[in-house]
Amino acid sequence: MNQKTIPDNIVKLLSRVRLAAQKSQRSAEDICIVAASKTRSSDTIRAAHQSGLCDFGENYLQEALDKIEDLADLNLCWHFIGPIQSNKTRPIAEHFNWVHSVERAKIARRLSDQRPPELGPLQILLQVNISGEASKSGALPEELPGLVEEVMGLPHITLRGLMAIPAATNDESQKTQPFARMRQLLREMQVIAPEMDSLSMGMSNDLEAAIAQGTTFVRVGTDIFGPRDG
Ligand SMILES: *Cc1c(COP(=O)(O)O)cnc(C)c1O
């Protein structure tokens, strides 16, 4: 991984996002790039921030807490995007701005209970297992209405939307369908919870398809930082 390529990578990424937004008559400002920075060092994150990124997504709690502390001098917005064990909710509630990977009401309740009220509500997204893969995290689409009803009234979180990681494919024609389904699911959930206004979907190899289906967050690792070493 070569830190010198980060500024160029970010310039290219911003133009991809701008072009994709234009094609769907959307404003690029409505699409937030979350740099998926798992396994990357604090210095690497600093380099990405110098090139204009402010939002970082982390998957592993201890690694994330170390970086949040190292980088406390920057005004970064931290997103938790990895699987959540219920005994790890407190530090997540205390140190993050957004959580994209909530899949059970129990986790949402703990995050709400443990969120320090002076920080304001934690912004959360419900992760959906949109490709129905047995091995994947996320609530099934049919579980969503019940989950939304349980989560929407909790006092110290704000339910903002849905997140998904569809099954990987290199077939362009297969990329759109799961994202279109997510857009439809968000519309259905907005009937129950009108404050839901966000979608987190699209990564390095499918962000154009996600932007065309209305995503508000793309989570990008490889195309900013290069391949992960393992
Ligand atoms: C690592 C990761 C990403 C970024 O994936 P890339 O293919 O490297 O862009 C996005 N979302 C989640 C949840 C991740 O864990």
Side-chain angles (χ1 to χ4, degrees), residues 36 38 59 81 163 165 203-204 219-223 228:
K38 58 177 176 280
N59 298 60
I81 63 175
M163 176 273 221
I165 311 172
M203 317 200 288
S204 295
R219 307 176 313 269
V220 182
T222 310
D223 284 2
R228 284 178 289 277

Side-chain angles (χ1 to χ4, degrees), residues 43-230:
D43 283 346
T44 300
I45 293 175
R46 242 174 234 285
H49 176 255
Q50 267 160 12
S51 295
L53 299 188
C54 295
D55 289 80
F56 292 86
E58 290 282 338
N59 298 60
Y60 308 112
L61 183 60
Q62 191 51 56
E63 179 194 324
L65 295 175
D66 291 343
K67 291 185 240 180
I68 291 171
E69 190 182 334
D70 281 349
L71 298 165
D73 58 310
L74 306 178
N75 195 17
L76 303 182
C77 183
W78 292 98
H79 301 250
F80 196 83
I81 63 175
I84 305 170
Q85 293 165 275
S86 61
N87 62 345
K88 302 280 174 63
T89 49
R90 183 178 297 280
I92 295 175
E94 290 174 347
H95 295 281
F96 284 81
N97 305 90
W98 286 77
V99 181
H100 294 223
S101 44
V102 175
E103 55 177 353
R104 289 184 288 147
K106 178 185 175 189
I107 298 291
R109 270 195 301 275
R110 291 176 64 91
L111 290 170
S112 178
D113 289 347
Q114 295 169 341
R115 176 70 167 177
E118 67 275 15
L119 295 183
L122 183 63
Q123 308 298 302
I124 76 158
L125 304 173
L126 301 175
Q127 184 170 350
V128 184
N129 184 351
I130 196 65
S131 303
E133 296 168 282
S135 62
K136 283 286 168 66
S137 311
L140 294 172
E142 57 269 30
E143 296 171 329
L144 274 182
L147 187 53
V148 166
E149 292 204 9
E150 280 190 87
V151 166
M152 61 186 281
L154 294 170
H156 302 297
I157 64 175
T158 303
L159 178 57
R160 294 293 299 275
L162 305 175
M163 176 273 221
I165 311 172
T169 174
N170 285 319
D171 179 347
E172 289 304 318
S173 68
Q174 303 275 310
K175 286 180 181 174
T176 297
Q177 194 251 344
F179 295 145
R181 181 113 190 274
M182 287 290 291
R183 170 185 246 176
Q184 182 57 32
L185 282 170
L186 179 68
R187 284 205 192 99
E188 290 168 20
M189 294 311 110
Q190 284 169 332
V191 176
I192 309 171
E195 68 275 24
M196 292 175 77
D197 61 359
S198 305
L199 285 170
S200 169
M201 55 191 199
M203 317 200 288
S204 295
N205 73 357
D206 57 9
L207 63 90
E208 282 85 359
I211 289 171
Q213 296 305 318
T215 199
T216 57
F217 292 100
V218 291
R219 307 176 313 269
V220 182
T222 310
D223 284 2
I224 295 171
F225 300 116
R228 284 178 289 277
D229 330 312

